[in-house]
């Protein structure tokens, strides 16, 4: 009998039997409020009837079309439909399976399109576990430790994490842009840099929204030096932050390449890349692709996901419930000085635990996270120190469920 490898780690002890909307039910029949959404994937909730119906119909029609062999209709329909939600200039797309693959494909595209080799990523960023994506990742050492050498040509610039530095947002942005400018005349000469890659909200690195002025500053520098701006919207896309795309919180910071995954297909493995026709034309035919990319059932689920997001007004709901959640969590934090910062955008909210002298308090975050699970609320931790407890419920979450989660959280941190 084979057993699971210890290389995998499970955040909660829950053995899940089924999912229903904002809840999962374990094998003993206990219901949990799922504020992890499969790490931000089940955007329309678990097993939304419309997504289920679309997937079932597609399973009975065509499961695997293989787009480098034959083209199939769900993929073409999805490409067309994404045109309604993507920035208008990004009118060419292709599909893969996971966020990591799409990140690697974005680097491949940026290098081909610019003829340059370097990529600048930002401290605390998470872009995936495959070797190229891991090379861009600094959200925690476990992603990189002991597996090098990783993909070369990567340089890191500071991320404006104002709370950690103890600065105002303006100070953090000014510092980070100054350091980036220095990097571009030192370790990463601007003429060698193909792309900047950034998450609109630092995700695994601690749920820190990227200040709009920083994204705008990157856009300016990208334009000045012929560098491409890649927005890794794997976690922030598809309504998660209360706008359809996370980068839309910063005016005028439209990326050249946008990466989407997670919430895109409500749980089916699907990722995608979007860029302009001009940019994509610089990638030679056959230089991108993969056996399972753009799977027909996943594309059908993504089309249904787009319908549900639109019909149920889920982007607006994410903004509204996100504010309610943050407000509730701030009240909890006011009574618990160990929660030193509550922050987020839309339904991507982090609670950072610190000791009285401001050091990351991993132990307190770990205890609160475990206590919440015991009380029926599933959460995740993040940040390089694992001292941020994050909440990332499905976009269908209702006010009562937000209030219930906040009440459980208040009990969990008291315990
Ligand atoms: N980029 C970001 C911003 C992510 O949050 C993640 C996953 N947490 C990835 C890339 C990697 O995606 P995947 O796990 O699907 O490879």
């Amino acid at each position: 009998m084979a057993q699971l490898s210890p290389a995998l780690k499970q955040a909660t002890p829950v053995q899940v039997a089924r999912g229903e909307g904002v809840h999962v039910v374990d094998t003993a029949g206990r219901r949990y409020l799922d504020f992890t959404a499969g790490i931000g994937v089940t955007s329309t909730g678990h097993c939304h009837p419309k997504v289920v119906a679309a997937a079932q119909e597609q399973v009975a029609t065509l499961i695997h079309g293989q787009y480098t062999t034959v083209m199939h209709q769900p993929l073409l329909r999805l490409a067309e439909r994404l045109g309604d939600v993507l920035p208008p200039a990004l009118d060419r797309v292709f599909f893969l399976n996971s966020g990591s693959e799409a990140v690697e494909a974005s680097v491949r595209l940026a290098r081909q399109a610019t003829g340059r080799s370097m990529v600048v990523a930002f401290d605390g960023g998470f872009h995936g576990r495959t070797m190229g994506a891991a090379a861009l990742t600094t959200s925690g050492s476990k992603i990189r430790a002991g597996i090098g050498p990783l993909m070369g040509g990567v340089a890191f610039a500071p991320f404006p994490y104002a709370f950690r530095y103890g600065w105002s947002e303006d100070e953090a942005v000014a510092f980070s842009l100054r350091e980036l400018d220095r990097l571009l005349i030192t370790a990463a000469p601007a003429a060698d840099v193909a792309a900047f890659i950034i998450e609109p909200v630092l995700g695994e690195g601690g749920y820190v929204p990227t200040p709009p002025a920083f994204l705008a500053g990157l856009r300016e520098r990208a334009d000045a030096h012929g560098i491409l701006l890649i927005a890794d919207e794997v976690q922030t896309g598809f309504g998660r932050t209360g706008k359809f795309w996370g980068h839309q919180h910063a005016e005028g910071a439209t990326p050249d390449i946008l990466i989407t995954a997670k919430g895109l297909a409500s749980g089916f493995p699907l990722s995608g890349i979007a860029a302009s026709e001009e940019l994509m034309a610089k990638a030679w035919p056959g230089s991108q692709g993969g056996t399972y990319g753009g799977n027909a059932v996943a594309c059908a689920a993504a089309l249904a996901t787009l319908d549900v997001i639109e019909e149920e007004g889920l982007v607006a709901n994410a903004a509204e419930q996100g504010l309610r959640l943050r407000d509730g969590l701030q009240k909890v934090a006011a009574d618990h000085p160990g929660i030193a910062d509550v922050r987020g955008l839309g339904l991507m909210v982090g609670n950072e635990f610190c000791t009285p002298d401001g050091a990351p308090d991993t132990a307190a975050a770990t205890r609160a996270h475990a206590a919440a699970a015991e009380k029926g609320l599933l959460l995740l931790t993040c940040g390089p120190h694992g001292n941020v407890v994050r909440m990332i419920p499905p976009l269908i979450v209702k006010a009562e469920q937000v209030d219930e989660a906040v009440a459980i959280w208040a009990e969990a941190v008291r315990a």
Side-chain angles (χ1 to χ4, degrees):
M1 189 183 87
Q3 291 192 357
L4 280 178
S5 163
L8 304 175
K9 194 172 160 221
Q10 195 178 316
T12 73
V14 174
Q15 302 270 337
V16 71
R18 59 179 200 279
E20 296 165 356
V22 181
H23 293 91
V24 289
V25 180
D26 73 10
T27 47
R30 180 167 183 207
R31 278 165 79 79
Y32 294 84
L33 256 184
D34 180 12
F35 272 40
T36 72
I39 324 187
V41 170
T42 54
S43 49
T44 55
H46 289 281
C47 303
H48 191 290
K50 288 210 164 154
V51 175
V52 170
Q56 282 175 336
E57 193 186 332
Q58 188 57 45
V59 164
T61 311
L62 175 79
I63 296 175
H64 181 57
Q66 219 300 309
Y67 63 2
T68 66
T69 313
V70 291
M71 190 45 68
H72 60 81
Q73 299 310 301
L75 188 149
L76 290 178
R77 282 206 302 275
L78 179 59
E80 194 182 319
R81 185 74 191 281
L82 282 171
D84 298 341
V85 292
L86 283 166
L90 309 189
D91 59 355
R92 292 292 182 276
V93 294
F94 63 86
F95 300 102
L96 298 157
N97 306 287
S98 67
S100 301
E101 269 182 290
V103 163
E104 299 220 358
S106 76
V107 172
R108 185 181 281 254
L109 175 61
R111 284 179 168 176
Q112 282 182 327
T114 59
R116 304 174 179 186
S117 63
M118 291 199 75
V119 179
V120 174
F122 297 87
D123 277 346
F126 182 93
H127 301 288
R129 289 175 180 270
T130 53
M131 292 306 228
L136 302 164
T137 292
T138 48
S139 61
S141 61
K142 67 176 184 288
I143 308 296
R144 303 171 66 91
I147 61 163
L150 297 163
M151 176 180 77
V154 182
F156 294 100
F159 179 90
Y161 188 166
F163 172 77
R164 176 69 19 237
Y165 296 145
W167 288 342
S168 71
E169 188 170 292
D170 287 350
E171 286 168 331
V173 168
F175 168 79
S176 301
L177 288 176
R178 253 193 335 265
E179 286 301 302
L180 176 62
D181 287 336
R182 208 172 72 83
L183 189 72
L184 295 176
I185 55 165
T186 55
D192 290 344
V193 176
F196 300 141
I197 184 166
I198 188 150
E199 298 163 87
V201 177
L202 203 60
E204 308 301 311
Y207 271 32
V208 192
T210 303
F214 189 66
L215 273 185
L218 294 188
R219 181 69 271 173
E220 271 172 36
R221 283 153 180 83
D223 289 340
H225 299 294
I227 295 169
L228 300 173
L229 179 59
I230 304 175
D232 180 347
E233 296 255 17
V234 167
Q235 197 157 159
T236 52
F238 265 70
R240 172 58 55 192
T241 67
K243 293 200 187 270
F244 201 93
W245 304 109
H247 76 265
Q248 290 170 330
H249 291 275
E251 212 154 304
T254 307
D256 300 294
I257 302 177
L258 184 150
I259 306 168
T260 178
K262 290 196 189 273
L264 162 64
S266 290
F268 286 86
L270 184 67
S271 61
I273 304 259
S276 68
E277 179 183 7
E278 187 194 352
L279 189 61
M280 285 281 193
K282 294 182 179 150
W284 44 96
S287 62
Q288 301 275 9
T291 303
Y292 296 103
N295 169 268
V297 182
C299 288
L303 282 161
T305 299
L306 281 164
D307 286 343
V308 172
I309 289 177
E310 195 180 310
E311 288 161 16
E312 299 184 15
L314 295 187
V315 180
N317 191 59
E320 191 184 328
Q321 302 311 330
L323 278 179
R324 188 178 186 98
L325 178 60
R326 234 180 312 151
D327 191 47
L329 296 174
Q330 263 150 4
K331 286 185 185 131
V332 175
D335 292 335
H336 294 278
I339 305 174
D341 196 27
V342 176
R343 57 179 177 247
L345 264 187
L347 288 172
M348 221 177 151
V349 185
N351 303 269
E352 178 152 0
F353 284 76
C354 293
T355 59
D357 60 359
D361 194 346
T362 311
T366 309
R367 281 196 305 271
H369 169 262
E374 270 167 32
K375 294 175 192 303
L377 173 65
L378 300 183
L379 304 171
L380 290 165
T381 55
C382 62
H385 303 277
N387 67 317
V388 179
V389 178
R390 59 171 149 159
M391 306 194 177
I392 178 166
L395 310 185
I396 55 164
V397 73
K398 293 189 168 70
E400 323 64 284
Q401 293 157 337
V402 167
D403 296 347
E404 187 189 342
V406 170
I408 298 176
W409 176 243
E411 277 178 40
V413 294
R414 252 198 310 277

